[in-house]
């Protein structure tokens, strides 16, 4: 049993979900978040599993208002630790073979500045809204019908007197604009569209 307050799951000593339920709810998001930075499937799996167990233990002692945010903080810290060790390993290899460091420091920096509590940021909402508002009316309408009203392409084409290819063109055009404007947020956004 779980309590919901303003859309947030409250879990404490007397009100715990079993560990299997947490794996079902959060494992994939934790895994994808870790993988977007560590770029290794097996390491990301270990980090996600370790973080979920750590969250479970902490929740046995304390009430956690935002378990996903807390979990992503744990994943973030474990990912930073892994990347730091990777940088040290790469530096040692580079000294032995004159090979460059790659993007390890950049990923550590990006992950270090990531704050999971800001994932639901209004900034992302503003970017999406502004991007959609900047689209031509036809493109915006097709995209809204497709993504927000969940209408199939055939239905959209019929309503707007377009061909299916025309509908597809407008959807691709809108997605391209969103991808360009949200490029800095893509690793975080992928967690919520799966």
């Amino acid at each position: 049993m779980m309590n919901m307050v303003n859309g947030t799951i409250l879990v404490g000593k007397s009100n715990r979900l079993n560990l299997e339920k947490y794996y079902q709810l959060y494992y994939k998001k934790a895994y994808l978040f870790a993988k977007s930075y560590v770029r290794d499937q097996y390491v990301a799996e270990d980090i996600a599993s370790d973080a979920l167990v750590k969250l479970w233990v902490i929740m046995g002692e304390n009430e956690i208002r935002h378990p996903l945010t807390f979990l992503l903080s744990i994943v973030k810290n474990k990912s930073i630790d892994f990347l730091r060790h990777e940088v040290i390993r790469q530096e040692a290899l580079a000294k032995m073979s004159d090979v460059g460091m790659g993007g390890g420091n950049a990923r550590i920096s990006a992950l270090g500045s990531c704050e999971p509590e800001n994932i639901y940021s209004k900034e992302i909402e503003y970017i999406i809204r502004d991007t959609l508002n900047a689209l031509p009316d036809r493109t915006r309408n097709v995209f809204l019908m497709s993504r927000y009203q969940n209408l199939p392409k055939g239905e959209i084409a019929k309503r707007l007197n377009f061909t299916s290819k025309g509908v597809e063109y407008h959807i691709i055009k809108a997605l391209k604009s969103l991808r360009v404007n949200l490029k800095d947020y893509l690793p975080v956004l992928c967690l919520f569209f799966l």
Side-chain angles (χ1 to χ4, degrees):
M1 176 178 248
M2 62 182 155
N3 290 332
M4 295 286 285
V5 175
N6 295 329
T8 301
I9 301 172
L10 293 178
V11 181
K13 291 179 187 175
S14 63
N15 189 19
R16 290 188 212 164
L17 292 173
N18 62 41
L19 185 56
E20 182 178 316
K21 184 69 172 179
Y22 275 101
Y23 266 86
Q24 291 172 357
L25 286 172
Y26 299 127
Y27 177 80
K28 192 169 190 175
K29 291 179 182 183
Y31 165 76
L32 290 172
F33 186 71
K35 189 171 183 233
S36 71
Y37 289 99
V38 300
R39 297 185 182 163
D40 182 296
Q41 173 186 348
Y42 301 111
V43 172
E45 289 172 356
D46 288 345
I47 289 172
S49 295
D50 290 348
L52 278 161
V53 170
K54 184 172 182 176
L55 173 68
W56 177 251
V57 169
I58 291 171
M59 287 179 15
E61 301 168 3
N62 301 296
E63 180 175 296
I64 305 295
R65 287 185 136 310
H66 303 281
L68 179 59
T69 301
F70 195 81
L71 174 65
L72 293 180
S73 293
I74 295 169
V75 171
K76 168 189 156 183
N77 291 330
K78 287 185 174 292
S79 297
I80 287 173
D81 289 344
F82 170 79
L83 290 171
R84 284 185 177 140
H85 289 294
E86 260 316 281
V87 168
I88 291 169
R89 188 181 70 75
Q90 287 178 6
E91 285 175 343
L93 288 174
K95 287 179 183 175
M96 290 188 297
S97 64
D98 287 331
V99 175
M101 285 275 300
N105 284 327
R107 291 195 315 259
I108 289 173
S109 176
L111 187 56
S113 65
C114 175
E115 294 298 332
E117 62 269 13
N118 294 330
I119 288 174
Y120 298 107
S121 167
K122 292 288 181 193
E123 187 174 345
I124 292 173
E125 291 176 27
Y126 293 137
I127 292 170
I128 291 171
R129 188 193 66 227
D130 290 346
T131 300
L132 292 178
N133 286 338
L135 293 173
D137 290 339
R138 286 182 177 187
T139 303
R140 181 176 53 252
N141 289 337
V142 168
F143 184 79
L144 292 174
M145 291 172 89
S146 169
R147 295 305 195 261
Y148 289 87
Q149 296 175 16
N150 295 319
L151 295 176
K153 291 178 189 171
E155 178 66 23
I156 297 169
K158 183 178 175 183
R159 287 187 183 187
L160 298 177
N161 198 23
F162 285 178
T163 64
S164 290
K165 287 287 186 189
V167 169
E168 191 173 320
Y169 164 80
H170 287 290
I171 291 171
I172 290 170
K173 184 176 177 181
L175 288 172
K176 183 178 179 183
S177 294
L178 286 167
R179 192 171 25 256
V180 167
N181 291 331
L182 292 169
K183 68 182 178 303
D184 296 332
Y185 298 94
L186 287 179
V188 174
L189 288 175
C190 74
L191 297 172
F192 298 101
F193 289 107
L194 295 175

